[in-house]
């Protein structure tokens, strides 16, 4: 497929989606979001793909949503069309998603990173939700996912003041998993993705589903859900292979 706003590559069981609107610092528009979803559709259907990475450039992961596209929109059309609803599909993917954030992740760019299962960032990363300076609020999950990631106080401060959070604070606050030098970010992110892709796809997807359930239900219900998934994985050949490989002290060869 010919891509206009992204690049797609596949290697060692990992799908890499690179945002590619350099003149707009990878600002999110409808075409980019649509192409990201089309790429994700392709990668989700391919059982040889075990993990997906979304990256930008060294200068900007994505410097917000495309304001030029939104400036003339009006209610009720934006409501009737459920503008940006396609972005929700990104967060609903079943395979693990890792965001590799270098440079600016502002507004919609920050929200896109938050849709991923975890974030690796470069030491030059800047996270912010500055929508309030435009007279609007985050509309792709920013107020919700940022609060879950860093807590009410920091989320409230960032959304109300538009303050940018640097890489060190982002790691300390739990927003990102690890920080790397910008020259090493993509290499380190792909290495982590390859480790995930080597594992049982069934187990990996169940782990993702179970952890996400922790944010949606009570502890008792979450524990019940986890236990049932644990029981069900014993119906999979990868469980037999993984445990037999451990007993035989050899690397496991997962197939599902």
């Amino acid at each position: 497929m010919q891509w206009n706003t992204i690049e797609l590559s596949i290697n060692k069981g990992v799908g890499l989606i690179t945002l590619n609107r350099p003149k707009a610092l990878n600002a999110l528009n409808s075409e980019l979001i649509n192409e990201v979803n089309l790429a994700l559709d392709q990668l989700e259907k391919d059982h040889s793909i075990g993990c997906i990475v979304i990256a930008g450039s060294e200068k900007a992961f994505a410097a917000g949503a495309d304001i030029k596209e939104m400036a003339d929109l009006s209610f009720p059309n934006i409501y009737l069309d459920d503008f940006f609803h396609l972005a929700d599909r990104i967060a609903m993917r079943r395979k693990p998603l890792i965001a590799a954030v270098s440079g600016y992740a502002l507004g919609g760019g920050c929200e896109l990173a938050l849709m991923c299962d975890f974030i690796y960032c470069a030491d030059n990363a800047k996270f912010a939700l500055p929508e309030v300076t435009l007279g609007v609020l985050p509309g792709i999950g920013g107020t919700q996912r940022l609060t879950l990631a860093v807590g009410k106080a920091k989320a409230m401060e960032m959304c109300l003041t538009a303050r940018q959070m640097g890489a060190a604070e982002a790691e300390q606050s739990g927003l990102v998993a690890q920080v790397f030098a910008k020259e090493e970010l993509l290499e380190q992110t792909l290495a982590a993705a390859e480790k995930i892709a080597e594992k049982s796809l069934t187990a990996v997807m169940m782990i993702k589903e179970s952890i996400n359930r922790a944010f949606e239900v009570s502890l008792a219900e979450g524990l019940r859900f986890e236990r049932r998934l644990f029981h069900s994985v014993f119906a999979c050949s990868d469980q037999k292979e993984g445990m037999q490989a451990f007993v035989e002290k050899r690397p496991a060869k997962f197939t599902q």
Side-chain angles (χ1 to χ4, degrees):
M1 181 172 177
Q2 185 68 37
W3 307 103
N4 295 321
T5 64
I6 68 169
E7 295 176 352
L8 175 63
S9 62
I10 297 172
N11 188 41
K12 296 182 179 179
V14 175
L16 171 61
I17 299 172
T18 305
L19 309 184
N20 187 31
R21 295 189 71 210
K23 293 182 179 180
L25 295 180
N26 295 330
L28 310 186
N29 62 6
S30 297
E31 183 179 22
L32 184 146
I33 291 173
N34 183 55
E35 289 195 347
V36 168
N37 272 309
L38 289 173
L40 288 171
D41 288 342
Q42 177 180 327
L43 296 171
E44 286 264 281
K45 293 176 183 177
D46 186 346
H47 293 326
S48 70
I49 302 299
C51 190
I52 302 166
V53 173
I54 300 179
S57 66
E58 281 194 1
K59 186 175 182 179
F61 176 72
D66 193 329
I67 305 304
K68 292 180 180 179
E69 184 181 57
M70 294 189 292
D72 294 328
L73 297 177
S74 61
F75 190 90
N77 288 335
I78 192 172
Y79 171 76
L80 293 173
D81 294 339
D82 198 7
F83 188 69
F84 271 149
H85 73 281
L86 288 176
D88 296 336
R89 293 189 61 228
I90 297 171
M92 296 170 63
R93 301 299 174 160
R94 299 177 68 198
K95 292 181 179 178
L97 301 178
I98 308 175
V101 174
S102 182
Y104 295 108
L106 310 180
C110 183
E111 292 175 298
L112 175 60
L114 286 165
M115 292 178 198
C116 297
D117 297 304
F118 62 89
I119 303 169
Y120 280 168
C121 80
D123 50 14
N124 70 335
K126 298 289 185 182
F127 299 88
L129 292 173
E131 285 84 351
V132 68
T133 63
L134 302 174
V136 296
L137 69 156
I140 324 177
T143 62
Q144 306 303 298
R145 294 191 179 97
L146 183 65
T147 304
L148 290 173
V150 303
K152 177 183 176 181
K154 283 190 179 292
M156 192 73 77
E157 180 208 21
M158 288 178 68
C159 289
L160 292 178
T161 69
R163 178 176 74 85
Q164 294 185 5
M165 177 183 284
E169 184 184 358
E171 184 178 26
Q172 293 167 1
S173 301
L175 178 59
V176 306
Q178 291 194 62
V179 179
F180 301 98
K182 65 180 181 180
E183 299 82 7
E184 301 176 359
L185 173 63
L186 189 57
E187 178 184 354
Q188 294 287 348
T189 305
L190 291 174
E194 288 168 13
K195 286 184 179 179
I196 295 171
E198 292 171 354
K199 307 298 189 295
S200 165
L201 181 58
T202 302
V204 163
M205 290 170 65
M206 285 184 174
I207 289 169
K208 172 174 176 170
E209 188 176 7
S210 188
I211 291 175
N212 284 336
R213 186 59 65 97
F215 292 98
E216 300 167 355
V217 300
S218 66
L219 175 60
E221 181 58 32
L223 290 170
R224 187 177 301 111
F225 183 80
E226 176 193 75
R227 191 67 45 77
R228 292 299 173 259
L229 287 182
F230 174 76
H231 291 162
S232 66
V233 82
F234 278 74
C236 301
S237 61
D238 276 351
Q239 173 269 326
K240 304 296 186 293
E241 167 61 15
M243 291 191 172
Q244 189 62 35
F246 178 84
V247 171
E248 296 174 1
K249 298 181 179 180
R250 60 173 175 81
K253 297 180 179 179
F254 296 116
T255 58
Q256 292 180 337

